[in-house]
Amino acid sequence: MQLIKQIPSLQTQVKAWHLAGETVAFVPTMGNLHSGHFALIERARQTGTKVIASIFVNPAQFDRAEDLANYPVTLDADCAALAQLGTDVVFAPSAQAMYPSGALRTKVEVPGISDVLEGEKRSGHFIGVATVVNKLFNLVQPDIAVFGAKDFQQLLVIRQMVNDLNMNISIEAVTAVRDEDGLAKSSRNGYLSATERKIAPVLHQILQQTAQRVIALGAQGATAYQAVQQEMLGKLAQAGFTAEYLEVRRNTDLQPPQVGDEELVLLVSAWLGKARLIDNLQVLLREGEII
Ligand code: PAF
């Protein structure tokens, strides 16, 4: 496995692979890798003949300086794990290489889908994500890019960007990887104390309870789900969370469902101590399926 830090070296390698007819699958990350990321690499290996992972803690997507300053950097351990998984190249550029002028100048904005939920709570976050992913796509020139469905809204933002800008990249989504007790894998779980870690799986349990209640109600539209949302927010507060939102939305555009809408997603964001946790479950009413 090659560790590449310089943009021109990456471009030379990618060009050679494309000329040789290789299919490049790309997994963008911010490092501090866990089994959720490893599942993305595995999917990349199944879909491409060459796999590139990037590790770049993108300052432009952090709305709180403190969060950026505390973000764990574990490059050596990450590279060892990626090598074991058969990654061909790790691209780990410096902030200076990615943003030579020191700040975001040209920005990519994906309106609509970016303006709700996480976009409301984290000002400018999705501009930072869309811009850096756009830059990484330009550098890596992937045929396929793999994202986790744990960050469901991010996945929809990227899909819309790729569609709106006619990028010839196939976006693959991988379902969230969970610990045995249901807690979705996330770098932010590392901020939980031992006591909080025991409470954290309640987030997934509440989503499952919400999903069952929504299935029982059927495709009744947003107003019909409001009482369930309020009840579940109350349960989260009782368990010790400070919830930011728990919402039933359409899984295509994250708008409140109309009567008859059957493809839904339940999204939650809640603080537990210093950790801001997000999770989601898709509910397909026709199939009675929870994903
Ligand atoms: O999901 C992440 O880790 C980041 O948002 C991404 C896609 C690597 C962009 O910085």
Side-chain angles (χ1 to χ4, degrees):
M1 188 185 78
Q2 297 178 68
L3 171 60
I4 298 182
K5 294 191 174 178
Q6 306 302 330
I7 286 175
S9 317
L10 175 79
Q11 287 171 318
T12 306
Q13 179 59 90
V14 166
K15 196 171 173 189
W17 279 343
H18 280 308
L19 282 173
E22 305 281 6
T23 305
V24 176
F26 175 46
V27 180
T29 82
M30 297 208 297
N32 194 227
L33 305 182
H34 48 69
S35 50
H37 296 108
F38 303 157
L40 307 183
I41 298 287
E42 258 160 45
R43 174 69 67 84
R45 272 173 50 91
Q46 286 157 10
T47 47
T49 56
K50 294 289 178 192
V51 173
I52 302 183
S54 65
I55 296 180
F56 178 60
V57 183
N58 174 33
Q61 70 187 75
F62 285 82
D63 49 330
R64 297 178 321 121
E66 186 199 344
D67 204 14
L68 172 62
N70 292 333
Y71 203 86
V73 176
T74 51
L75 185 64
D76 291 347
D78 292 346
C79 285
L82 289 169
Q84 276 246 313
L85 291 166
T87 308
D88 296 287
V89 160
V90 175
F91 175 51
S94 64
Q96 162 68 21
M98 289 298 279
Y99 300 113
S101 70
L104 272 196
R105 217 157 40 182
T106 302
K107 298 177 186 173
V108 180
E109 188 166 0
V110 186
I113 196 76
S114 296
D115 301 333
V116 296
L117 303 167
E118 286 298 286
E120 268 176 343
K121 298 292 173 199
R122 303 183 65 188
S123 170
H125 171 66
F126 286 122
I127 290 179
V129 170
T131 305
V132 82
V133 171
N134 197 311
K135 282 167 74 71
L136 289 166
F137 282 177
N138 286 335
L139 295 169
V140 173
Q141 298 280 309
D143 300 287
I144 300 145
V146 188
F147 290 84
K150 151 103 180 4
D151 293 306
F152 193 80
Q153 188 170 2
Q154 170 173 282
L155 174 66
L156 294 188
V157 167
I158 301 299
R159 282 198 197 282
Q160 186 174 315
M161 176 184 80
V162 164
N163 214 30
D164 287 352
L165 298 182
N166 306 98
M167 294 173 157
N168 194 14
I169 301 170
S170 154
I171 303 297
E172 292 271 327
V174 174
T175 323
V177 175
R178 298 181 182 280
D179 280 334
E180 270 182 21
D181 58 12
L183 179 65
K185 294 279 189 186
S186 164
S187 302
R188 289 171 204 274
N189 296 351
Y191 302 148
L192 296 168
S193 69
T195 314
E196 288 158 359
R197 175 62 192 79
K198 287 190 186 130
I199 299 170
V202 170
L203 198 65
H204 181 235
Q205 289 158 19
I206 297 281
L207 277 183
Q208 282 179 317
Q209 289 174 28
T210 312
Q212 295 299 346
R213 296 279 292 280
V214 166
I215 288 174
L217 284 165
Q220 297 291 321
T223 320
Y225 308 134
Q226 264 166 18
V228 182
Q229 284 169 197
Q230 285 312 315
E231 184 188 328
M232 296 299 166
L233 283 168
K235 286 192 179 187
L236 281 175
Q238 262 179 5
F241 292 87
T242 306
E244 288 189 331
Y245 59 79
L246 187 156
E247 292 277 334
V248 183
R249 295 289 172 105
R250 294 202 289 234
N251 73 354
T252 46
D253 58 6
L254 300 188
Q255 288 304 305
Q258 307 281 315
V259 175
D261 280 335
E262 294 187 310
E263 305 207 339
L264 309 175
V265 58
L266 320 180
L267 305 113
V268 68
S269 156
W271 287 88
L272 189 55
K274 291 201 199 88
R276 182 177 186 274
L277 305 176
I278 61 168
D279 203 350
N280 69 81
L281 282 180
Q282 287 189 75
V283 176
L284 309 181
L285 289 175
R286 191 172 310 163
E287 295 83 0
E289 214 178 308
I290 301 171
I291 305 170

